Amino acid sequence: MKSVLCEMLGIDYPIVQGAMAWVADADLASAVSNAGGLGLIGTGHDTVDVVNHKIADMKAKTNRPFGVNIMLLNQHVEEVVDAVCASGVKVVTTGAGSPGKYMDKFKAAGISVIPVVASVALARRMEKEGADAIIVEGMEAGGHIGKATTMALLPQVVDAVSVPVIAAGGIGDGRGMAAALMLGAAGIQVGTRFVVAHESNAHANFKQSIIKAKDIDTVVTGQITGHPVRVLRNKLTREYLQAEKEETSKEHPNFERLEKLAEGALKRAVVDGDKNSGSMMAGQIAGLIKKEETCKEIIEDYMTGCRDSISKQAGLWS
């Protein structure tokens, strides 16, 4: 199954691995790339030296195409952009802002730029600023989310732009992939399912929490702050949601109280395996995940399930 996305990025399958903080390292990303998808390394708030090390580590582990995610709120973003442009990397995804001011640098370096958006307006703006493709992420996703669902937002963005659109959020298997393709997506981005991959260095406690999750086990925190985040329910989410409720009732909410609760929480979940006070970011498809698999097995399952779903539906309606 080839698509315009495969041709653009030089990959075998139209599957992009999400650049999840503390999870998307060279071990995971290289395994995805080696399996025929597009692996992404996350850079978050990294300094340029850390970014250079991650890219070098990635190059040592794969000779297949891979990308770098740049978080545009990083205080070192200027240096990071320059380093990525000089590194030979050919794909960049961006979040937390617009890559417009860096577009000339990216283009001069031969880099395909793919911003993550959560609205039609942002998708249009990114295309005007020179984006080569768009990742549309719905609120079913884990981590920071927007307000629209993937299946509602995706076709609207597809209709609004002419560049390839990648669907993200709530796509847990081949059936979801088939649905996204039918709505006009050129490919999908997968996050939560890759967290539990064999090659993922996420703590075993975090992986098992995802595997054991049911359909109603995620919750959205941070609504009051304007930065909603989808995570698995635990002691931290109960404390945070109670604090949100109390602060919402005040004339002047104490956002510092909420920030203190969340400080370092993602690292506690991913690295330390703290299931109680860690922020276990995961999407609503966690209930579909039943076991730990290799990245190759995950990608093959998506592709087989997608083909089978399309064939089955064609048979039903023929």
Side-chain angles (χ1 to χ4, degrees):
M1 182 182 292
K2 294 290 186 180
S3 80
V4 63
L5 190 68
C6 294
E7 296 176 5
M8 174 188 293
L9 304 180
I11 55 181
D12 297 329
Y13 308 111
I15 298 176
V16 177
Q17 162 242 315
M20 301 158 286
W22 295 102
V23 177
D25 58 14
D27 288 339
L28 176 61
S30 64
V32 172
S33 289
N34 288 334
L38 183 75
L40 292 175
I41 50 176
T43 61
H45 291 282
D46 291 343
T47 64
V48 67
D49 289 340
V50 173
V51 173
N52 281 329
H53 174 76
K54 287 182 175 181
I55 293 173
D57 194 17
M58 191 68 177
K59 288 181 176 179
K61 290 178 166 65
T62 185
N63 60 2
R64 302 298 304 276
F66 69 91
V68 174
N69 176 265
I70 299 178
M71 203 275 288
L72 296 168
L73 288 179
N74 183 352
Q75 62 177 323
H76 311 290
V77 65
E78 301 284 345
E79 296 90 341
V80 168
V81 168
D82 288 342
V84 171
C85 288
S87 70
V89 167
K90 294 304 178 185
V91 182
V92 162
T93 65
T94 64
S98 169
K101 65 181 292 188
Y102 309 111
M103 200 62 76
D104 288 343
K105 287 184 178 181
F106 287 138
K107 298 298 184 181
I111 294 174
S112 295
V113 183
I114 311 177
V116 179
V117 305
S119 72
V120 171
L122 280 175
R124 284 184 173 135
R125 177 183 171 190
M126 293 302 99
E127 182 180 34
K128 287 180 180 178
E129 291 186 356
D132 297 280
I134 302 287
I135 297 172
V136 174
E137 187 172 70
M139 56 89 68
E140 301 97 323
H144 295 276
I145 58 174
K147 295 181 179 181
T149 64
T150 303
M151 292 300 151
L153 180 61
L154 172 60
Q156 296 181 66
V157 172
V158 169
D159 288 347
V161 301
S162 59
V163 296
V165 176
I166 301 164
I171 304 172
D173 59 19
R175 294 170 297 179
M177 181 177 183
L181 297 183
M182 290 302 98
L183 290 175
I188 62 170
Q189 178 171 281
V190 177
T192 305
R193 195 164 172 187
F194 279 130
V195 173
V196 303
H198 281 300
E199 298 91 345
S200 166
N201 290 316
H203 197 283
N205 289 347
F206 186 18
K207 290 184 178 184
Q208 284 303 309
S209 294
I210 292 175
I211 291 171
K212 293 178 180 178
K214 299 186 292 295
D215 59 330
I216 59 172
D217 282 348
T218 67
V219 65
V220 178
T221 62
Q223 300 273 24
I224 186 178
T225 66
H227 301 288
V229 178
R230 184 176 298 283
V231 294
L232 294 176
R233 300 175 187 271
N234 61 1
K235 180 182 177 182
L236 175 63
T237 64
R238 289 192 294 272
E239 292 177 353
Y240 194 101
L241 290 172
Q242 179 59 36
E244 272 194 307
K245 183 178 180 180
E246 293 171 2
E247 295 304 324
T248 301
S249 65
K250 298 178 181 179
E251 183 179 355
H252 301 291
N254 180 8
F255 292 127
E256 290 184 3
R257 176 188 178 188
L258 301 176
E259 291 174 1
K260 187 174 182 180
L261 278 172
E263 187 176 357
L266 180 57
K267 181 177 182 290
R268 290 198 297 270
V270 179
V271 179
D272 303 331
D274 188 336
K275 297 190 294 183
N276 294 315
S277 63
S279 179
M280 297 189 290
M281 295 185 181
Q284 287 184 310
I285 60 93
L288 286 173
I289 300 173
K290 306 301 181 185
K291 59 184 177 180
E292 191 173 342
E293 301 172 282
T294 66
C295 290
K296 184 174 185 292
E297 289 171 333
I298 291 171
I299 289 176
E300 288 176 349
D301 183 68
Y302 269 101
M303 297 307 302
T304 300
C306 180
R307 292 190 186 99
D308 289 349
S309 295
I310 293 173
S311 296
K312 181 179 179 180
Q313 292 304 312
L316 289 174
W317 290 97
S318 61

